[in-house]
Amino acid sequence: MNKIVSDYHLHSEFSGDSTQNIEEIVKEGIRLGLEEIALTDHLEYDIEGMTDNWILDVDRYAKRVFELREKYKKDIDLKFGVEVGVQPHTKDYLESVIKKYPFDFVIASSHAIDRVDLAFGEIQAGRTKDEVHNLYFEYVLQNIEKYNEFNVYGHIDFVTRYGGEKFRGLDYKKHFDIIDVILKKLIEKGKGIEVNTSGYRYREDRFYPCTDILKRYYELGGEILTIGSDSHIKDYMTMDFDRVYDFLESIGVKYISSFDKMQPSFKKIK
């Protein structure tokens, strides 16, 4: 029996970093035997150097998702989702967009600090690895404290992806205190975290967040977990999900989350 039931982080041609035809994603989900998938194209705002192709046309995106939902409703449950790149100063604008549309699922992610994209390398310049990682977690905490219109926080420790080999790897013990505050705040607000398998594709040989963070979230009573490939091409859908399911079962997790109109429900791990 296929234990993989869903993929909750998928990008299509509507994202600035993907050219993947959106209908092909749906067809691949059906081929994989998934019960549901969440399309989560990027909604970014006020990042230096952001080109026009990063501006999500939400009207056109929503129209296409709902067309496909109707077309394939007998084969798969298609969720209307979005990944929002949050910064403390963009709360009002981004939350107004989220409230305007009938989203099923929203990922909040930290892609930029003070309008500078983590991928550009400017944030890492002149800082040690620990300084960069601590700065990132401080911003994650600020975002969680400010934002309300989201369901899970995305790839919560993926800062290690950027800046080159020097910045790879997370020393969990050094950042335990602030990570603990982040996890407790998420649980307090009824929010979850995603397990994002793209770390294997980015040669970090792990998923985001690391196993220590996942264990701690579960120890603290966290229950809302989604699993996402963060795929930008359909061939990556559900890649390395078996590793996640095996790990979650090893620490006693019995359910993953599903969302409909921003409300969570729980599916038992098969």
Side-chain angles (χ1 to χ4, degrees):
M1 180 185 293
N2 180 21
K3 68 170 68 173
I4 300 171
V5 298
S6 60
D7 190 333
Y8 259 66
H9 194 147
L10 300 169
H11 295 289
S12 79
E13 61 204 282
F14 287 91
S15 278
D17 53 359
S18 176
T19 58
Q20 176 62 62
N21 177 272
I22 194 168
E23 188 166 9
E24 289 182 3
I25 294 172
V26 180
K27 289 179 178 178
E28 182 66 5
I30 295 167
R31 189 192 71 80
L32 291 167
L34 302 182
E35 295 175 11
E36 58 184 27
I37 57 173
L39 292 164
T40 54
D41 280 316
H42 283 287
L43 175 62
E44 305 290 340
Y45 180 66
D46 198 26
I47 297 175
E48 290 180 3
M50 188 175 76
T51 55
D52 288 348
N53 67 317
W54 280 95
I55 300 172
L56 179 63
D57 185 338
V58 188
D59 288 336
R60 194 165 64 89
Y61 174 51
K63 182 176 183 291
R64 188 63 176 135
V65 171
F66 287 116
E67 287 173 351
L68 293 170
R69 173 183 284 181
E70 179 63 24
K71 183 175 180 179
Y72 293 101
K73 64 183 179 181
K74 294 181 180 178
D75 303 305
I76 197 165
D77 186 1
L78 180 58
K79 304 296 185 181
F80 178 39
V82 68
E83 181 182 13
V84 182
V86 295
Q87 300 178 75
H89 73 281
T90 62
K91 168 188 163 62
D92 291 344
Y93 172 76
L94 291 175
E95 289 198 340
S96 70
V97 175
I98 297 302
K99 290 175 182 177
K100 185 179 175 183
Y101 296 91
F103 286 107
D104 291 306
F105 177 66
V106 177
I107 302 171
S109 296
S110 292
H111 296 134
I113 294 175
D114 285 340
R115 302 182 65 239
V116 178
D117 195 307
L118 286 164
F120 292 169
E122 295 175 33
I123 289 165
Q124 294 84 350
R127 292 186 172 99
T128 67
K129 179 170 87 169
D130 289 335
E131 287 171 342
V132 170
H133 293 180
N134 196 64
L135 177 65
Y136 169 79
F137 286 123
E138 287 175 353
Y139 267 75
V140 169
L141 180 57
Q142 286 183 45
N143 286 325
I144 292 167
E145 289 173 337
K146 285 181 175 290
Y147 276 85
N148 295 304
E149 297 299 316
F150 72 97
N151 301 116
V152 301
Y153 217 87
H155 44 55
I156 205 163
D157 63 351
F158 92 135
V159 62
T160 61
R161 182 192 300 178
Y162 299 110
E165 194 62 34
K166 169 183 172 182
F167 295 93
R168 293 260 166 149
L170 178 70
D171 191 331
Y172 171 72
K173 291 180 180 178
K174 283 188 177 179
H175 305 286
F176 171 84
D177 289 346
I178 191 165
I179 291 171
D180 234 38
V181 175
I182 287 169
L183 297 179
K184 289 174 181 176
K185 180 59 70 172
L186 284 169
I187 293 168
E188 175 190 319
K189 295 184 76 166
K191 311 298 183 184
I193 57 177
E194 76 153 351
V195 188
N196 183 306
T197 60
S198 68
Y200 290 103
R201 302 199 303 275
Y202 288 101
R203 299 185 300 280
E204 289 214 65
D205 197 32
R206 70 179 181 95
F207 39 74
Y208 307 118
C210 65
T211 55
D212 286 326
I213 294 177
L214 275 173
K215 284 179 186 175
R216 184 59 178 157
Y217 176 74
Y218 186 57
E219 287 171 358
L220 291 168
E223 296 179 321
I224 298 174
L225 289 169
T226 59
I227 306 173
S229 61
D230 204 347
S231 71
H232 295 71
I233 60 173
K234 65 182 177 62
D235 295 346
Y236 291 156
M237 289 174 66
T238 73
M239 186 175 283
D240 297 302
F241 276 32
D242 283 334
R243 300 179 194 241
V244 178
Y245 277 91
D246 289 345
F247 174 73
L248 293 179
E249 289 178 284
S250 77
I251 63 171
V253 175
K254 294 181 171 58
Y255 299 91
I256 59 170
S257 298
S258 175
F259 283 86
D260 185 58
K261 297 180 175 60
M262 303 280 283
Q263 296 303 309
S265 58
F266 297 90
K267 291 183 178 287
K268 189 173 178 62
I269 294 175
K270 297 177 182 178

